[in-house]
Amino acid sequence: MRPILSFLFVLLLTAPAFAAKPNVVVIIADDLGYNDVGFQGSKEIPTPNLDKLAAQSLRCTNGYVSHPFCSPTRAGIMTGRYQHRFGHENNPAWLPESTGAGLTLEETTFPSLMQKAGYTTGAVGKWHLGAHPQFHPNKRGFDEYFGALGGGHQYFPGDKGGVEYTIPLNRNGKDVPQTKYLTEQFGDEATAFVGRHAGGAKPWMLYLAFNAPHTPLQAPKEWLEKFQHIENNSRRTYAAMVCALDAAVGGLMAKLDETKQRENTLIYFVSDNGGPNLTGKSGTNFTDNAPLRGAKGMVYEGGMRVPFLVSWPAKLKPGTYDQPVIALDFLPTALAAAESAELTPKNLDGVNLLPFLSGEKSGVPHELLFWRTGGPGGNNAVRRGSMKLVRNGKTEPELYDLAADVGESKNLAAEKPEVVKELVAAIAEWEKGTIAPTFESPKAGKPAAKTKKK
Ligand code: CA
């Protein structure tokens, strides 16, 4: 063959292979209330961009994260495993000298597997998986990183606050200045990432973890002005923060459209936990988890049932999906979408959701789902079908039928002792595969001592 013809022939052979692997985006909101986005039913907080994404998604109405607070949920997403299996049940303190407080190096990460599957990987935003350099995103599978390495951050450049919330932003290991409202800067970075890698030889994965709308409650004037009608100052600011997040997602989506990547991009959206029960100065809670019971930190539904979207226009028809799913499923689902299921570790708790979401399989992805805070003997919960057992420490187990009672208001434990017995046994069995937390959450106001419990 002439050189030009053979070149075209090679292109023909290779182009479809590139096109087949979707890009992957994981978007995480922080402390977002269950009912605080339009697609979940909020009338108070308009989120047109997230609503548009929801219209292109399977909205998972029984979608969970694996923990009712920040860092452990992220450890679950990063590994596809219950984080209790490796002792990551608390938030790591901001301790750059500690090799113990972070996502253990013994675990294989989602982005490192995507690298093996041929992906360029990037992370933007909140990390919260360890402050020691060994835990840096660039060491855990991300080719590119821009963000705040701690558990949260001040939103405006130059704002005062605790150490963790005022550390310089970080780009690939180097300090960089914060130049604008943080949600906006994270959005810009994410948008730049998908623009930079559009049309490249490799598919890409982007992990976009906003710290919004987690406290501190800080929002730009232009967004606050849209919510003059909300009297409660904390609620007004929180609403403005959610809208800023929505706009940042809108910018990312527009770039995906503009670069013609949207169709073959798999996007997940979740909050890392339910809305917190924080009252601010007004004495009224400013997040809305309706119709769920409880809030961040609890193993009632308000702690870890979250807004949950999966979108892949090229392969998945939008709609709703009602069987219980969990963010642990992101990793194996992405590997399957990348036609690299053979890379999926054997020890995962997450499953490939694609056959369920496409309707090819009609069963349940998970017979059982588990949650636990505070280590063995702490608060825990298990869900089987529509039945959920909640045990707060040493109190008597409570039993709810979520199909009839999503608000967990009618305790059925006395009526169904057999179910209670089975579910208590299921938790005990699951706990055999877990260990005690290997580090403590920081005490309010000061970082925890270097810890290694047991
Ligand atoms: Ca959180």
Side-chain angles (χ1 to χ4, degrees), residues 241-302:
M241 293 169 77
V242 174
C243 281
L245 188 158
D246 181 71
V249 171
L252 172 69
M253 301 298 291
K255 181 57 87 174
L256 287 172
D257 284 337
E258 181 197 318
T259 52
K260 303 201 167 20
Q261 299 181 94
R262 177 66 191 99
E263 183 75 9
N264 199 29
T265 297
L266 166 64
I267 302 180
Y268 305 109
F269 176 85
V270 282
S271 177
D272 69 336
N273 48 253
N277 189 6
L278 290 174
T279 55
K281 285 177 193 153
S282 67
T284 314
N285 188 20
F286 59 76
T287 69
D288 181 1
N289 288 327
L292 309 179
R293 175 178 180 179
K296 175 180 180 178
M298 303 179 190
V299 294
Y300 292 112
E301 296 289 278

Side-chain angles (χ1 to χ4, degrees), residues 94-111:
W94 178 255
L95 292 170
E97 71 282 12
S98 170
T99 55
L103 176 59
T104 173
L105 305 187
E106 284 165 30
E107 291 294 316
T108 304
T109 66
F110 187 173

Side-chain angles (χ1 to χ4, degrees), residues 346-361:
K346 298 282 175 272
N347 62 357
L348 297 197
D349 295 299
V351 301
N352 170 19
L353 293 178
L354 293 178
F356 298 98
L357 298 179
S358 67
E360 185 189 317
K361 266 193 198 173

Side-chain angles (χ1 to χ4, degrees), residues 202-441:
K202 293 164 79 174
W204 49 261
M205 170 197 182
L206 172 67
Y207 173 80
L208 172 57
F210 291 99
N211 60 316
H214 193 294
T215 55
L217 292 177
Q218 298 165 341
K221 272 206 190 73
E222 64 265 34
W223 289 110
L224 282 170
E225 278 163 9
K226 291 185 193 297
F227 293 99
Q228 289 309 316
H229 58 282
I230 300 182
E231 254 176 61
N232 179 325
N233 188 42
S234 299
R235 176 74 177 166
R236 187 191 316 133
T237 309
Y238 168 85
M241 293 169 77
V242 174
C243 281
L245 188 158
D246 181 71
V249 171
L252 172 69
M253 301 298 291
K255 181 57 87 174
L256 287 172
D257 284 337
E258 181 197 318
T259 52
K260 303 201 167 20
Q261 299 181 94
R262 177 66 191 99
E263 183 75 9
N264 199 29
T265 297
L266 166 64
I267 302 180
Y268 305 109
F269 176 85
V270 282
S271 177
D272 69 336
N273 48 253
N277 189 6
L278 290 174
T279 55
K281 285 177 193 153
S282 67
T284 314
N285 188 20
F286 59 76
T287 69
D288 181 1
N289 288 327
L292 309 179
R293 175 178 180 179
K296 175 180 180 178
M298 303 179 190
V299 294
Y300 292 112
E301 296 289 278
M304 68 280 169
R305 191 198 283 221
V306 293
F308 193 121
L309 303 176
V310 182
S311 174
W312 185 10
K315 294 281 163 101
L316 296 173
K317 205 167 146 240
T320 54
Y321 184 75
D322 298 325
Q323 297 294 349
V325 295
I326 191 161
L328 304 177
D329 300 330
F330 289 176
L331 187 167
T333 302
L335 281 175
E339 292 169 19
S340 302
E342 74 283 358
L343 295 174
T344 309
K346 298 282 175 272
N347 62 357
L348 297 197
D349 295 299
V351 301
N352 170 19
L353 293 178
L354 293 178
F356 298 98
L357 298 179
S358 67
E360 185 189 317
K361 266 193 198 173
S362 59
V364 293
H366 299 275
E367 294 290 335
L368 296 158
L369 288 177
F370 298 96
W371 297 269
R372 185 181 76 194
T373 63
N379 298 341
N380 49 45
V382 54
R383 178 165 176 178
R384 184 182 70 187
S386 68
M387 301 308 287
K388 180 170 166 213
L389 181 125
V390 172
R391 202 170 49 184
N392 288 306
K394 299 206 185 326
T395 61
E396 286 300 311
E398 301 159 33
L399 185 71
Y400 300 101
D401 181 355
L402 296 174
D405 176 27
V406 75
E408 294 170 288
S409 63
K410 188 167 184 268
N411 183 0
L412 304 173
E415 284 171 44
K416 298 181 184 290
E418 277 309 305
V419 178
V420 170
K421 207 172 141 192
E422 287 162 18
L423 293 181
V424 166
I427 290 179
E429 188 58 33
W430 173 77
E431 283 204 301
K432 288 182 191 162
T434 70
I435 62 172
T438 57
F439 54 85
E440 299 289 344
S441 286

